[in-house]
């Protein structure tokens, strides 16, 4: 039985058929211009049925031939042999039978996967209220009109993924949705109708939760977010750390930053220009979502909460954690939220906290004094050093000395059971990572961009042999070149021009937000950057795969652990490309804990219209997967990688469904 991706919603069934009729393909180009060669396009139903029938018949014939062959071969082994020969023959036969049984099981798996496309019709389109649907979170839009919410009302809920019931429809874009503005122009403005806003976003929330709305777009001028602008704010933080300016962050060992409730990503957008990679996290929000708008701008973000569970990152992964008026009540629950920050910070990493609570005026209030004193005491109990305070901003530095924890008068205990990468486990009130080989102060680490290559000593910490790593790097450099050769110019040059559109402006970047479903060492990410592509990659390590997420972070990249039988913590239409290498094989080896169709439906949800999916895997699994993706209305084509390789490439493009 397949595992559901979505929480069940009553009363949906009768709406699906009507909703499906209201949508059509948006295809402003001729077929030859709208696909990667003649292999794309939706074939007729008759051809698909004939192909599916041929696959089924072929599987049955192969299974029958394998079984008949085994009987005949066994007869020849035993005929006219002595006792010793017969014993040897019996042992050989048992080994052969094991191989044969595996072959039959594989063939039946492939047949079941391929047969799914024949048994099921194309997926229907969800009703309009599912335009911003986020599984695993309560979607308030299903219950109330967001415009009725009062100003300043924050709707947020913990992640709760259930397997009871599922929504198996395609989440279509809003009626006025437009293809996002391409990077780097998209950093400064987005199309208003691509995101859900209600109005209260303009005056509440984070330090950087400000925007300017014009007729059909939202702009984010960097100097409008603070009295002195984001550049001066970043410069101030650098000086408080002891640096000349923000251009020196890398030299001080700062590369990865976790931005808690980042507003709309303005701080991360600025740091990106300084070679820093910022991950924004914020609660699920029904309207004015910080995560949705930040991703629309092309800045890394995902839904995450400090409420009750640990974030799905390894300990000792970020060089800086930033909170600018992020509404986290750090003084509560015996400082457990600060303990989680401590878990994520590397030794000598920085916690930057900007809050109205830090002003002299606020501290005149006795209740505020108690809160501030509690936070200060919790920080001292974690062996943090307060480096500096200027106006509303305080910078703490995590200790690099393990023995500090033994000399404290008070504070959290060291963790006994200390998993490196907890997956949405309850917040743990103890100090993690002190026994790890990755306990290395940030100033002693290799700086960016050299850290992406990792030397033999660094690789040894992760149990990776340098030759294996070098082969992986070389393979991905070659593979990315092949991708560009196969898919250019459609993806990687200028945007396909539509009637009435103006000529695209350089640098014609079609891709910005990329998700790798099975990241392994992060080689795909490294190869994209080496090739000079202006992309960022969400490196996802499946929970049932070898966990190299700590290595990915140590290379200066970002990523997350994820169970692909659950929904990914993001909003619909947030990625330009989804990539998967060996993912189908991984799922097959784990006996298909959930259906391939369910996983691909989730990929469709997070993929932007006209976005791309690239899947590299064993040829039989690729051929079978193609029959599944046709249910999603994707244009799909199978490409051969190498004559000597048994792997193939499945390249798909999601259509633009219009109401």
């Amino acid at each position: 039985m397949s595992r559901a991706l979505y929480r069940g919603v009553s009363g949906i069934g009768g709406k699906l058929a009507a909703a499906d009729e209201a949508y059509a393909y948006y295809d402003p180009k001729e077929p030859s211009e709208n696909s990667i060669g003649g292999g794309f396009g939706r074939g007729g139903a008759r051809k698909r049925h004939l192909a599916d029938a041929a696959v089924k018949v072929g599987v049955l014939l192969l299974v029958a031939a394998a079984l008949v062959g085994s009987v005949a071969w066994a007869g020849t082994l035993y005929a006219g042999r002595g006792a010793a020969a017969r014993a040897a023959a019996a042992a050989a036969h048992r080994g052969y039978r094991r191989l044969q049984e595996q072959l039959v099981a594989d063939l039946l798996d492939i047949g079941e996967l391929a047969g799914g496309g024949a048994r099921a019709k194309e997926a229907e389109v969800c009703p309009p209220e599912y335009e911003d649907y986020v599984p695993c979170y309560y979607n308030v839009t299903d219950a109330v009109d967001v415009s009725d919410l009062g100003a300043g009302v924050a709707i947020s809920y913990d992640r709760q993924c259930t397997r009871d019931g599922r929504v198996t429809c395609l989440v279509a874009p809003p009626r006025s949705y437009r293809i996002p503005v391409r990077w780097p122009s998209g950093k400064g403005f987005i199309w208003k109708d691509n995101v859900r806003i209600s109005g209260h976003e303009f005056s509440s929330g984070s330090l950087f939760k400000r925007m300017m709305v014009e007729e059909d777009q939202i702009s984010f001028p960097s100097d409008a977010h603070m009295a002195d602008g984001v550049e001066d704010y970043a410069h101030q933080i650098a000086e408080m750390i002891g640096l000349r300016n923000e251009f020196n962050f890398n030299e001080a060992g700062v590369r990865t930053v976790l931005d808690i409730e980042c507003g709309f990503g303005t701080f991360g957008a600025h740091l990106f220009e300084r070679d820093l990679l910022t991950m924004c996290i914020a609660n699920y929000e029904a309207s004015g979502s910080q995560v949705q708008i930040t991703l629309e701008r092309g800045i890394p973000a995902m839904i995450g909460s400090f409420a009750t569970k640990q974030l799905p990152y390894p300990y000792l992964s970020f060089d800086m954690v930033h909170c600018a008026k992020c509404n986290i009540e750090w003084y509560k629950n015996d400082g457990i939220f600060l303990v989680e920050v401590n878990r994520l910070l590397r030794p000598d990493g920085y916690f930057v906290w900007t809050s109205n609570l830090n002003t002299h005026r606020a501290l005149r209030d006795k209740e505020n004094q108690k809160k501030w004193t509690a936070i200060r005491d919790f920080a001292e109990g974690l062996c943090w050093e307060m480096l500096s305070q200027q106006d509303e901003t305080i910078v703490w530095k995590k200790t690099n000395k393990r023995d500090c924890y033994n000399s404290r008068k008070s504070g959290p205990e060291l963790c006994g059971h200390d998993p490196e990468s907890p997956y949405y486990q309850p917040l743990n009130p103890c100090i993690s990572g002190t026994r790890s080989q990755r306990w290395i102060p940030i100033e002693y680490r290799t700086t960016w961009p050299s850290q992406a290559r990792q030397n033999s000593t660094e690789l040894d910490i992760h149990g990776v042999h340098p030759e294996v790593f070098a082969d992986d790097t070389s393979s991905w450099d070659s593979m990315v070149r092949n991708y560009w050769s196969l898919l250019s110019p459609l993806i990687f040059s200028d945007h396909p021009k539509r009637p009435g559109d103006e000529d695209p402006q350089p640098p014609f970047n079609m891709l910005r937000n990329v998700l790798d479903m099975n990241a392994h060492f992060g080689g795909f990410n490294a190869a994209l950057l080496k090739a000079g592509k202006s992309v960022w990659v969400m490196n996802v390590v499946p929970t049932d795969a070898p966990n190299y997420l700590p290595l990915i972070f140590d290379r200066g990249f970002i990523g997350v652990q994820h169970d692909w039988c659950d929904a990914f913590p993001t909003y619909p239409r947030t990625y330009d490309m989804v990539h998967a290498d060996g993912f189908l094989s991984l799922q097959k080896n784990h006996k298909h804990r959930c259906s391939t169709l369910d996983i691909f439906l989730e990929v469709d949800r997070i993929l932007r219209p006209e976005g791309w999916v690239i899947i590299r895997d064993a040829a039989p699994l690729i051929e079978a997967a193609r029959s599944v993706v046709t249910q999603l209305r994707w244009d799909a084509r199978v490409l051969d990688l190498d004559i000597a390789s048994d792997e193939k490439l499945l390249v798909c493009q999601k259509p633009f469904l219009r109401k």
Side-chain angles (χ1 to χ4, degrees):
M1 181 178 294
S2 62
R3 297 169 68 186
L5 273 170
Y6 306 106
R7 298 178 65 178
V9 179
S10 60
I12 184 175
K15 300 180 182 179
L16 286 178
D20 196 40
E21 293 175 358
Y23 287 80
Y25 285 94
Y26 178 62
D27 189 7
K29 303 177 285 297
E30 295 297 323
S32 61
E33 298 173 347
N34 196 38
S35 59
I36 310 176
F40 267 89
R42 298 167 61 203
R46 177 180 175 83
K47 291 182 180 180
R48 287 201 303 272
H49 291 326
L50 288 174
D52 292 332
V55 171
K56 287 182 175 180
V57 172
V59 170
L60 291 174
L61 289 175
L62 285 170
V63 172
L67 294 174
V68 171
S70 67
V71 174
W73 184 71
T76 59
L77 279 175
Y78 282 88
R81 300 288 183 95
R86 289 182 181 178
H93 178 62
R94 285 193 297 272
Y96 171 79
R97 285 290 296 176
R98 284 194 295 270
L99 291 174
Q100 187 188 59
E101 288 167 0
Q102 182 61 47
L103 170 63
V104 171
D106 290 347
L107 290 171
L108 290 175
D109 276 344
I110 294 169
E112 180 184 357
L113 186 60
R119 289 193 300 271
K121 62 179 182 179
E122 286 184 339
E124 296 173 315
V125 179
C126 298
E129 55 263 36
Y130 284 86
E131 290 170 354
D132 297 295
Y133 183 61
V134 182
C136 299
Y137 297 88
Y138 176 74
N139 283 255
V140 70
T141 52
D142 296 338
V144 301
D145 185 348
V146 176
S147 61
D148 294 336
L149 296 175
V153 175
I155 303 296
S156 61
Y157 297 87
D158 273 345
R159 177 178 173 87
Q160 296 179 356
C161 294
T162 64
R163 306 284 165 79
D164 300 328
R166 64 178 179 269
V167 175
T168 56
C169 54
L170 302 174
V171 177
R175 182 181 297 276
S176 302
Y177 182 85
R178 300 168 69 176
I179 297 297
V181 182
R182 297 303 174 183
W183 183 269
S185 299
K187 181 177 63 174
F189 77 94
I190 62 176
W191 302 123
K192 183 176 68 175
D193 292 331
N194 284 13
V195 296
R196 187 179 181 93
I197 59 174
S198 64
H200 72 269
E201 297 87 6
F202 308 123
S203 60
S204 65
S206 163
L207 182 65
F208 298 111
K209 200 173 181 182
R210 302 288 186 274
M211 52 188 174
M212 299 176 62
V213 179
E214 301 176 18
E215 289 185 4
D216 62 349
Q217 67 187 44
I218 302 171
S219 59
F220 306 89
S222 62
D223 59 352
H225 303 286
M226 302 186 58
D228 298 322
V230 66
E231 184 172 352
D232 287 338
Y233 177 68
H235 185 84
Q236 174 190 352
I237 293 172
E239 288 186 332
M240 293 172 72
I241 289 174
L243 306 176
R244 230 179 127 182
N245 54 50
E246 70 268 29
F247 289 94
N248 301 114
F249 275 130
N250 278 156
E251 296 175 14
V254 178
R255 161 65 180 170
T256 53
V257 179
L258 182 67
D259 196 0
I260 304 169
E261 293 191 13
C262 62
F264 298 132
T266 298
F267 187 58
H270 177 75
L271 293 183
F272 184 82
E273 299 173 359
R274 308 294 187 256
D275 277 336
L276 271 66
L277 191 57
T278 302
M279 172 78 87
C280 162
I281 61 166
N283 293 330
Y284 165 77
E285 297 165 291
S287 172
S289 165
Q290 301 171 71
V291 170
Q292 184 186 39
I293 294 175
T294 298
L295 284 165
E296 189 73 12
R297 299 181 65 188
I299 307 300
M302 62 174 279
I303 300 172
S305 173
F306 268 77
T308 60
K309 297 177 181 177
Q310 293 176 309
L311 294 169
Y313 312 122
Y315 56 53
L316 312 180
S317 290
F318 290 96
D319 306 310
M320 178 185 290
V321 175
H322 175 254
C323 159
K325 301 183 180 178
C326 62
N327 297 317
I328 304 295
E329 296 176 318
W330 301 109
Y331 56 88
K332 286 191 173 181
N333 300 325
D334 295 325
I336 197 168
F337 302 136
L338 290 175
V339 175
E340 176 67 358
V341 170
N342 187 79
R343 182 183 75 85
L344 298 171
L345 275 176
R346 292 190 171 110
D348 280 342
Y350 303 99
F351 177 53
V352 180
W353 179 41
T354 298
S355 171
N356 293 330
L357 185 64
N358 298 330
T359 63
H360 292 294
R361 182 175 181 179
L363 292 176
R364 292 172 187 168
D365 181 82
K366 291 184 178 180
E367 192 63 31
N368 287 340
Q369 288 180 17
K370 291 180 181 179
K371 294 176 183 178
W372 196 94
T373 301
I375 294 171
R376 182 198 61 193
D377 292 344
F378 290 145
E380 290 179 356
L382 292 169
C383 287
W384 289 2
E385 175 190 1
M386 183 187 290
L387 292 184
S388 178
Q389 177 175 1
Q390 292 186 20
D391 303 321
E392 299 179 339
T393 302
I394 297 176
V395 176
W396 275 287
K397 185 175 184 179
K398 178 177 175 176
T399 186
N400 63 12
K401 298 178 175 62
R402 293 185 178 97
D403 56 5
C404 174
Y405 299 114
N406 298 323
S407 59
R408 298 170 299 161
K409 295 180 180 179
S410 62
E413 298 179 352
L414 301 185
C415 293
H417 178 63
D418 195 13
E420 186 169 37
S421 300
Y423 183 67
Y424 293 113
Q425 294 298 309
L427 288 171
N428 199 347
C430 60
I431 296 175
S432 298
T434 57
R435 295 189 294 272
S436 172
Q437 289 182 285
R438 295 176 57 237
W439 183 279
I440 302 172
I442 59 174
E443 57 262 37
Y444 297 152
R445 288 180 174 270
T446 305
T447 56
W448 180 263
S450 299
Q451 73 181 110
R453 295 186 284 273
Q454 294 282 287
N455 59 43
S456 58
T457 303
E458 293 165 332
L459 290 172
D460 185 60
I461 293 174
H462 302 279
V464 177
H465 196 280
E467 291 183 4
V468 173
F469 186 78
D471 289 344
D472 182 79
T473 300
S474 176
S475 173
W476 278 115
D477 288 345
S478 174
M479 186 56 59
V480 165
R481 286 194 298 269
N482 288 341
Y483 288 169
W484 255 249
S485 175
L486 289 167
L487 305 179
S488 294
L490 256 186
I491 300 182
F492 304 114
S493 62
D494 59 335
H495 192 286
K497 187 178 178 182
R498 298 180 181 77
D501 283 359
E502 297 180 357
D503 289 332
Q505 298 298 312
F508 308 138
N509 193 55
M510 282 289 297
L511 294 181
R512 174 60 182 169
N513 302 353
V514 178
L515 184 144
D516 194 353
M517 295 179 69
N518 187 25
H520 199 51
F521 297 156
F524 181 54
N525 190 159
L528 287 172
L529 296 183
K530 186 176 180 180
K533 308 305 175 185
S534 297
V535 302
W536 68 271
V537 179
M538 179 68 80
N539 294 283
V540 181
V541 175
T543 54
D544 48 9
N547 183 18
Y548 289 108
L549 189 57
L551 171 59
I552 289 170
F553 272 98
D554 286 355
R555 297 185 72 178
F557 307 146
I558 56 175
V560 66
Q561 267 199 308
H562 182 63
D563 181 351
W564 280 110
C565 288
D566 292 333
F568 194 75
T570 191
Y571 291 80
R573 303 173 301 277
T574 47
Y575 286 92
D576 301 303
M577 174 184 280
V578 174
H579 175 264
D581 174 52
F583 180 76
L584 298 174
S585 295
L586 180 68
Q587 293 301 301
K588 174 183 169 296
N589 292 337
H590 288 83
K591 304 302 180 184
H592 304 296
R593 296 185 303 111
C594 48
S595 76
T596 305
L597 177 60
D598 281 348
I599 295 174
F600 284 173
L601 277 168
E602 174 62 5
V603 171
D604 184 88
R605 184 185 71 87
I606 68 178
L607 191 66
R608 287 170 171 166
E610 298 188 1
W612 297 86
V613 178
I614 300 180
I615 304 173
R616 176 189 176 195
D617 222 304
L621 295 175
I622 288 292
E623 294 290 352
R626 177 165 59 172
S627 69
V628 176
V629 302
T630 57
Q631 299 178 61
L632 308 179
R633 315 184 187 199
W634 293 354
D635 293 332
R637 185 183 181 189
V638 174
L639 302 173
D640 291 315
L641 291 172
D642 193 324
I643 298 176
S645 174
D646 63 348
E647 294 184 327
K648 288 189 176 183
L649 206 64
L650 178 61
V651 182
C652 310
Q653 185 178 28
K654 175 181 175 177
F656 196 159
L657 296 176
R658 287 284 193 180
K659 293 183 182 178

